[in-house]
Amino acid sequence: MQENVLEVKNLCKYYAGVKALTDVSIAFREGEVHALAGENGAGKSTLIKLITGAETATSGAISVFGKQYDKIDPVWAINNGISAMYQEFNLIPYLTIAENIYYGKEFTKGIFINRKVMNAETKKSLQDMEIDIDPRCRICDLGVAYQQIVEIVKAVSAKSKILIMDEPTAPLTNTETAVLMKLIKKLKEANVTIIYISHRIEEIFEICDRVTVMRDGRCITTKNTKDITKNELISYMVGRELGEDYPERKNEIGNTVLKIENMNNQKLKDICFNVKKGEIVGFGGLVGAGRTEVMQALFGADHIDNGKITLNDKQVKISNPSVALANGIGLIPEDRKNQGVHLGLSVRDNISFSSLKKISKGPFISKKKDYAISEKYCEKLRIKTPNINQLVKNLSGGNQQKVVLAKIMATQCDVLIFDEPTRGIDVGAKQEIYQLMRHIVDEGKCIVMVSSEMPELIGMSDRIYIMRMGKVVGELKREEFSQEKILEYASGLIGG
Amino acid sequence: MDGKTGYKKLKNIFTNYGIVFILLLLVIGFSFLSSRFLMRDNIFNILRQVSIVGMISVGMTLVLLTGGIDLSCGSIVGLTGVGAALLMTKANVNPVLASLIMLVVGVAFGLVNAFFIAQLRVPPFIATLGMMTSVRGIAYIITGGLPVFGFNRSFTRLGQGYIGVIPIPVIIMLGAFVLGYILLNITRIGRYIYGVGGNEEASRLSGVHVKKIKYFVYAASGFASALAGVVLLARVNSGQPNAGSGYEMDVITSVVLGGVSMSGGQGRIGMVIIGVMIMGILTNGMTMLSINEYIQQFVKGLVLIGAVALDVFIKNQRAKRTAA
C-alpha cells in the first residue's frame, strides 16, 4: 500500500447558500495518477480551489504529507509542493522559457541575472523529459501544447510533489496529447502524484490509476480504473432521473423555420441543423465543443467562411448582429455581464436598446414609446425592479437575465437563441425563465438553446444536437433522450 | 422619520451634484474676497474666457463617453485657425465660406482619427497623440511658422462682438452645449454612445454598428475643435500656428471635473458645463486677487485631483452602503 500524500476529509463549501461541495473525502496516493470525473458543476473545480488554497473550505480538513490543516494558503501550497495548472496559463508571454521557469527565483551573479546557468538548467530539465526545445524561445512563440509543457516543467523544477491538471488536453491536438501523455508517465516514474481532471473518458482509462466520480458536489465513488468499464463510469457520473421539474410541453411543432447547411469557420466544421416552428432545439456537448461559436456565427457576431442559412424558405446572408435582428433572429448571450446587459444603464435603456429604431421619429427617441415598451416587457417578464429607471447593476442576476431577454423579445424576434439561459441565477428565477421559454414557443416562435446543464437540456428541449470538437456529432429525438447517450456522444465514445 | 429622509435626500443631492457645491463654494469665496467678482461684466468675462474650451469639451464629452479620448483637439484648433486665416488673406475667400471649409476640415481630421481607432484598432490615446503632433506640424508647414493677420471687420465680430449684452462666443458655446444635450438625451445616437462606452460587446450583440458610433464621436470632436479654432481666430484677430496648444488638457480637465468617466459610459453633459465653469472661475478669481500665474497653475492641478478623489470617495462609500 502506497502512502497517502494528500487527503481531504469531510470537506464542505457553501457559496451564499449554495452547496458547492458536501462532505467530500478523498485520499490521493504517492505516485498515482488520480482522475476526477463528473459533469459540469459537479464540484471538481471547487475541490481544486480548496486544495490549492485559492478558496477556504466552510468545514472539513486537508492533510498534506500526513499533517492536517484547516485551511491552506496559496503561497504555502506552492512552497510545499502543490501546484495546479489551469486552462488559462500563468506564464508571462514575452519572457523566454527559462525566464518563466525561474521567475522569482533567478540564478544571479551579483546583481545580474545569470542567463547561462538558467538556460543550461532549463535545457537539462527539458531533456530529462525528452523534449527538444530551445530554452531561449519566448512563450508567445510556442504552441499551446508546449506552453503546457513549460508549465509542467516549471512545476517539476519547483519540486512539486502534487500536480493538479485541469483539462490539460482540451486545447491540444492528438499528437500534442500524445506528448503530454508521455510526460505524465515520466512524472509518475518520478513519484509525482497527479490529480487529473478530464471530460475525455478514454484518457482517464489510458493514463489514470484510479478515478473518483463526483456529482452534485458529492463524492460518489473511487475505483481502480482497471476494475470498471467506460459505461459504468458514465452511469456513476449521471446517476439520477431527471426531467420532472420542467414546465409541461403543450407546443405544436410545425414546419422548418431555420435551416443551416454546411456552415464553416475557423472553429466550426460543416455544421448542419434545422429548427421548426414551436420547437426548442437544444445543443449539448462539453465546454469548448463549439456550441457558442455556432450561435455567434448564426447571429452574425462571428465570421462565417461558407455555409447556407435558410430562414422561412428564403436564403439569408447574416453579416452582423444588426442584420440578424432585422431578420428576426435574437441572441441572449452566454456571458451576461460582458455581452448581455449594460450594467451602467437603466432597465428602460436596456430593454429598448435593440428596438430604438422602431420607437424613434427621425433621430429622436419617442419618450412615450420608450417608457411604454419598457413597462410592457417589465410587466410581461415580471422583472423585479422598483421602477424602470433603476440601474441594471442594482438588480439580481436572474432579473438581469430577464432584462436581456426583454431586450430581445422587444425586437419581436421569431427565432431566439439562448446561450446558457440560466447560468448563475437562482432556482426561482430559473423556473420563471423556463416558463417564459415555454410561453415563447407556445406563441409559435422557436428557440435554439445551448445548455451545459444536463437536466435543463433534457427537460426543456424537443430535440437535441450534440457537438464535439467543432462538429455536430449526433441528433436525438425526444424519445431517445438520455444523459448516457448525450455524454457518450459528447465525450466521443460514439458518433463522429 | 422626516428628518431622516430629508437628510438622505440632501446626501443624495450632494453625491449626485457634489461638483455644483464646489462651484458655489468658489463663487461665494471669490465674491467675499473681491467685490468686482460678481459684477455683470466680470461674469460675461468669465463666460467668454471659457467659451473656447467649453465648445471643445462638448465634443470631448462624446468621445470620453464611448471610452475613447481625443488629444488632437488643440492641434485642430490651431490648424483650422490658420487655415481660415490663410484662405481669407491669401485667397480672398469670403469669411463665411472660409469658416465652413474649416469646419469640414475639422470633421475630416476627426474621421481620420476614427479610421485609425475603429478600423485599424489603434488605441485612441496613441492614434490621437500622433494626430496631435502631425496636425500641429501641418499648421506650421502651411504658415511657415509665422502668424497670419489682416482680416475683415465683419469676421472679427464673430469673436469680439455681442448679441445684446452677451458675447457671441458665449452664445456659440451655449448652443454647442444645447446640441450636445439634445443629442445625448433624446436621440438614438446618444443612447448608443452611452451603450458603446458602457459595454461595447453587448452593444454590438444588440445590433449597434459600433464603428459608426466611433466615427460619429470623433467627427463631432473634430467639428467642435474646428468651431473653436475659427472663433478663437476671430477673437484674437491673428492666426497663430501654435494656437490651442495644450487645450486638450484643459478640456479633459473640465470634462472629468464634470464627472464624465474616463473609461466611458458615465457622465452628464449638464455637469460638464459646471466643470468648465469651475476652471474658468478659478483662473478669473485668482487673477483678480493678483495671484501669480505659477501658483494658479499649481492650484488648478490640485483642484482636479481633489475633486475627482472626492468623487471617487463618495461613490465608494455609496457602493459600500448598497453592498451592506
Side-chain angles (χ1 to χ4, degrees):
Chain A
M1 183 77 186
Q2 293 152 297
E3 205 183 330
N4 285 341
V5 288
L6 173 71
E7 209 176 340
V8 298
K9 283 178 201 149
N10 312 104
L11 278 188
C12 294
K13 175 71 186 172
Y14 302 152
Y15 292 105
V18 181
K19 289 185 183 181
L21 281 187
T22 315
D23 206 16
V24 169
S25 302
I26 311 173
F28 299 94
R29 296 173 190 159
E30 186 177 15
E32 74 167 346
V33 181
H34 192 132
L36 288 181
E39 292 175 23
N40 300 322
K44 294 165 297 181
S45 305
T46 310
L47 177 62
I48 298 309
K49 282 181 190 154
L50 298 183
I51 293 174
T52 57
E55 304 217 6
T56 308
T58 312
S59 66
I62 301 175
S63 303
V64 185
F65 305 113
K67 269 182 91 175
Q68 188 161 316
Y69 302 90
D70 288 338
K71 64 176 208 182
I72 283 181
D73 150 72
V75 177
W76 183 92
I78 291 168
N79 291 337
N80 283 276
I82 303 177
S83 344
M85 297 166 39
Y86 298 102
Q87 285 172 43
E88 319 84 59
F89 298 112
N90 295 312
L91 299 171
I92 300 162
Y94 299 107
L95 295 184
T96 68
I97 296 176
E99 283 164 345
N100 264 286
I101 287 177
Y102 290 101
Y103 190 70
K105 41 186 187 296
E106 289 83 359
F107 287 101
T108 52
K109 206 187 211 170
I111 58 163
F112 300 107
I113 287 175
N114 192 340
R115 253 172 235 287
K116 232 188 211 161
V117 178
M118 249 163 61
N119 287 338
E121 284 293 317
T122 308
K123 183 111 200 157
K124 217 177 103 215
S125 316
L126 289 168
Q127 272 166 351
D128 284 347
M129 306 204 192
E130 296 173 35
I131 288 152
D132 184 35
I133 34 174
D134 189 336
R136 290 169 299 181
C137 282
R138 290 195 306 177
I139 297 298
C140 56
D141 299 330
L142 299 177
V144 186
Y146 283 98
Q147 293 188 10
Q148 199 132 38
I149 285 165
V150 173
E151 282 264 23
I152 295 173
V153 174
K154 188 178 170 185
V156 173
S157 81
K159 307 230 169 0
S160 291
K161 294 302 290 172
I162 300 165
L163 194 53
I164 301 164
M165 299 185 183
D166 191 356
E167 293 274 359
T169 56
L172 303 188
T173 63
N174 284 342
T175 39
E176 288 170 336
T177 303
V179 175
L180 183 74
M181 291 294 148
K182 211 168 84 185
L183 190 54
I184 290 175
K185 281 173 190 151
K186 281 251 164 215
L187 291 174
K188 220 178 114 174
E189 285 165 24
N191 250 343
V192 174
T193 304
I194 295 168
I195 301 175
Y196 193 86
I197 298 178
S198 179
H199 280 294
R200 299 189 184 173
I201 309 278
E202 305 103 283
E203 275 174 18
I204 292 179
F205 282 92
E206 185 190 335
I207 197 135
C208 300
D209 303 298
R210 293 196 301 160
V211 53
T212 294
V213 180
M214 296 186 67
R215 190 205 314 147
D216 300 332
R218 288 170 192 276
C219 175
I220 301 303
T221 182
T222 300
K223 295 274 186 195
N224 289 323
T225 46
K226 43 180 197 290
D227 297 340
I228 60 168
T229 66
K230 291 176 186 177
N231 287 331
E232 278 173 327
L233 180 61
I234 286 182
S235 65
Y236 279 127
M237 285 163 67
V238 174
R240 70 196 135 147
E241 291 299 315
L242 307 162
E244 286 125 37
D245 302 346
Y246 294 87
E248 205 185 329
R249 298 175 170 86
K250 296 178 294 203
N251 49 327
E252 276 177 38
I253 295 172
N255 296 329
T256 301
V257 174
L258 177 71
K259 199 164 148 197
I260 314 299
E261 289 164 280
N262 299 315
M263 187 162 75
N264 280 291
N265 72 18
Q266 224 178 356
K267 289 171 186 154
L268 303 174
K269 240 190 201 152
D270 289 329
I271 303 294
C272 298
F273 67 95
N274 60 70
V275 186
K276 299 188 178 79
K277 192 171 184 221
E279 191 182 33
I280 298 182
V281 173
F283 269 75
L286 302 175
V287 172
R291 296 168 302 166
T292 294
E293 286 77 4
V294 170
M295 304 309 145
Q296 295 264 331
L298 170 59
F299 187 61
D302 278 353
H303 178 76
I304 304 178
D305 292 336
N306 53 52
K308 203 168 130 190
I309 300 174
T310 316
L311 186 67
N312 295 320
D313 299 322
K314 264 199 309 211
Q315 191 174 339
V316 290
K317 204 176 164 290
I318 295 173
S319 47
N320 61 52
S322 156
V323 176
L325 285 165
N327 277 299
I329 301 176
L331 171 77
I332 293 100
E334 179 185 18
D335 183 345
R336 183 173 59 242
K337 285 216 159 63
N338 290 317
Q339 303 177 311
V341 284
H342 286 94
L343 290 172
L345 295 184
S346 67
V347 172
R348 172 175 54 86
D349 287 341
N350 268 279
I351 292 179
S352 60
F353 200 77
S354 286
S355 319
L356 289 180
K357 263 191 194 135
K358 273 193 299 198
I359 59 168
S360 298
K361 213 174 199 175
F364 300 108
I365 299 168
S366 150
K367 196 173 169 187
K368 222 168 92 191
K369 287 184 188 163
D370 190 12
Y371 274 80
I373 197 169
S374 307
E375 262 156 13
K376 179 179 158 196
Y377 283 93
C378 240
E379 205 167 307
K380 196 167 175 185
L381 274 69
R382 282 192 237 118
I383 296 171
K384 284 189 202 79
T385 172
N387 59 64
I388 58 173
N389 291 318
Q390 177 76 312
L391 294 187
V392 167
K393 66 177 163 205
N394 298 330
L395 303 188
S396 71
N399 280 303
Q400 289 182 1
Q401 185 71 341
K402 284 193 202 166
V403 168
V404 182
L405 183 51
K407 173 174 73 180
I408 298 303
M409 285 173 69
T411 66
Q412 310 199 313
C413 285
D414 290 325
V415 181
L416 286 93
I417 306 169
F418 284 80
D419 197 349
E420 303 288 357
T422 60
R423 173 169 291 174
I425 66 181
D426 62 82
V427 185
K430 264 188 188 181
Q431 278 303 322
E432 284 188 83
I433 301 263
Y434 295 146
Q435 298 282 3
L436 281 167
M437 290 172 75
R438 281 275 158 241
H439 189 71
I440 290 167
V441 290
D442 288 344
E443 286 178 343
K445 300 176 175 181
C446 50
I447 288 178
V448 185
M449 176 184 76
V450 171
S451 176
S452 294
E453 283 187 50
M454 206 58 103
E456 175 174 293
L457 194 63
I458 291 178
M460 291 301 295
S461 309
D462 294 307
R463 204 148 46 91
I464 297 176
Y465 288 99
I466 299 123
M467 289 192 65
R468 193 167 78 87
M469 297 175 89
K471 282 185 278 195
V472 174
V473 292
E475 178 185 352
L476 297 176
K477 296 194 181 64
R478 179 112 61 87
E479 52 277 12
E480 302 169 308
F481 285 180
S482 78
Q483 296 198 69
E484 288 82 359
K485 260 268 156 46
I486 296 171
L487 258 179
E488 281 167 9
Y489 274 116
S491 59
L493 281 186
I494 51 174
Chain B
M1 197 66 199
D2 255 346
K4 220 173 189 182
T5 47
Y7 169 73
K8 232 179 176 177
K9 250 184 196 163
L10 199 72
K11 207 164 180 182
N12 240 334
I13 291 173
F14 186 73
T15 47
N16 284 323
Y17 301 95
I19 202 79
V20 179
F21 285 94
I22 294 179
L23 179 72
L24 285 179
L25 274 180
L26 284 177
V27 170
I28 294 166
F30 280 127
S31 48
F32 271 114
L33 294 169
S34 162
S35 55
R36 282 182 304 140
F37 181 76
L38 268 186
M39 286 167 81
R40 196 183 72 185
D41 281 356
N42 190 48
I43 291 171
F44 282 129
N45 199 9
I46 295 171
L47 282 169
R48 194 170 54 206
Q49 281 165 351
V50 299
S51 61
I52 302 293
V53 164
M55 288 172 213
I56 311 171
S57 67
V58 176
M60 185 69 83
T61 302
L62 303 185
V63 172
L64 286 188
L65 280 176
T66 62
I69 194 166
D70 185 358
L71 298 176
S72 68
C73 51
S75 295
I76 294 177
V77 168
L79 175 68
T80 49
V82 293
L86 286 174
L87 281 178
M88 286 186 288
T89 54
K90 297 276 173 341
N92 259 329
V93 177
N94 164 305
V96 176
L97 185 61
S99 305
L100 290 178
I101 291 172
M102 283 305 123
L103 292 180
V104 173
V105 168
V107 169
F109 279 109
L111 292 174
V112 173
N113 277 331
F115 173 78
F116 289 129
I117 292 160
Q119 228 72 37
L120 304 184
R121 295 182 175 276
V122 178
F125 189 95
I126 308 291
T128 59
L129 181 68
M131 285 293 282
M132 169 176 117
T133 313
S134 291
V135 170
R136 182 68 66 193
I138 300 173
Y140 283 118
I141 293 167
I142 61 174
T143 55
L146 299 171
V148 186
F149 38 81
F151 322 121
N152 201 317
R153 253 283 165 77
S154 64
F155 177 69
T156 50
R157 229 181 87 83
L158 178 68
Q160 299 169 358
Y162 292 81
I163 290 180
V165 288
I166 309 173
I168 291 175
V170 174
I171 293 174
I172 296 177
M173 171 184 76
L174 293 176
F177 271 101
V178 169
L179 267 181
Y181 182 87
I182 292 173
L183 184 85
L184 284 175
N185 288 288
I186 61 173
T187 71
R188 257 200 327 268
I189 292 183
R191 191 74 61 85
Y192 292 155
I193 287 173
Y194 279 102
V196 168
N199 192 338
E200 191 170 325
E201 181 65 3
S203 299
R204 187 175 78 100
L205 294 180
S206 300
V208 175
H209 295 283
V210 172
K211 281 182 189 167
K212 280 189 197 162
I213 299 299
K214 289 191 176 169
Y215 273 102
F216 178 83
V217 293
Y218 287 99
S221 179
F223 180 87
S225 306
L227 185 66
V230 173
V231 174
L232 181 66
L233 176 72
R235 206 179 119 199
V236 299
N237 200 7
S238 151
Q240 304 283 350
N242 67 345
S245 290
Y247 275 21
E248 55 281 342
M249 289 307 154
D250 292 346
V251 169
I252 292 169
T253 306
S254 306
V255 176
V256 170
L257 262 180
V260 175
S261 155
M262 290 285 282
S263 49
Q266 278 179 351
R268 285 165 300 171
I269 195 143
M271 289 292 116
V272 171
I273 210 168
I274 307 287
V276 171
M277 288 305 295
I278 287 179
M279 293 311 282
I281 284 174
L282 269 176
T283 312
N284 176 275
M286 289 194 289
T287 311
M288 283 191 124
L289 298 176
S290 353
I291 292 173
N292 125 9
E293 200 180 325
Y294 304 144
I295 297 178
Q296 286 192 20
Q297 198 159 353
F298 173 74
V299 171
K300 278 194 225 165
L302 287 187
V303 167
L304 172 70
I305 299 171
V308 174
L310 184 72
D311 189 47
V312 172
F313 176 76
I314 290 170
K315 279 194 182 127
N316 281 343
Q317 288 292 318
R318 185 157 47 166
K320 258 185 219 156
R321 266 207 316 275
T322 30

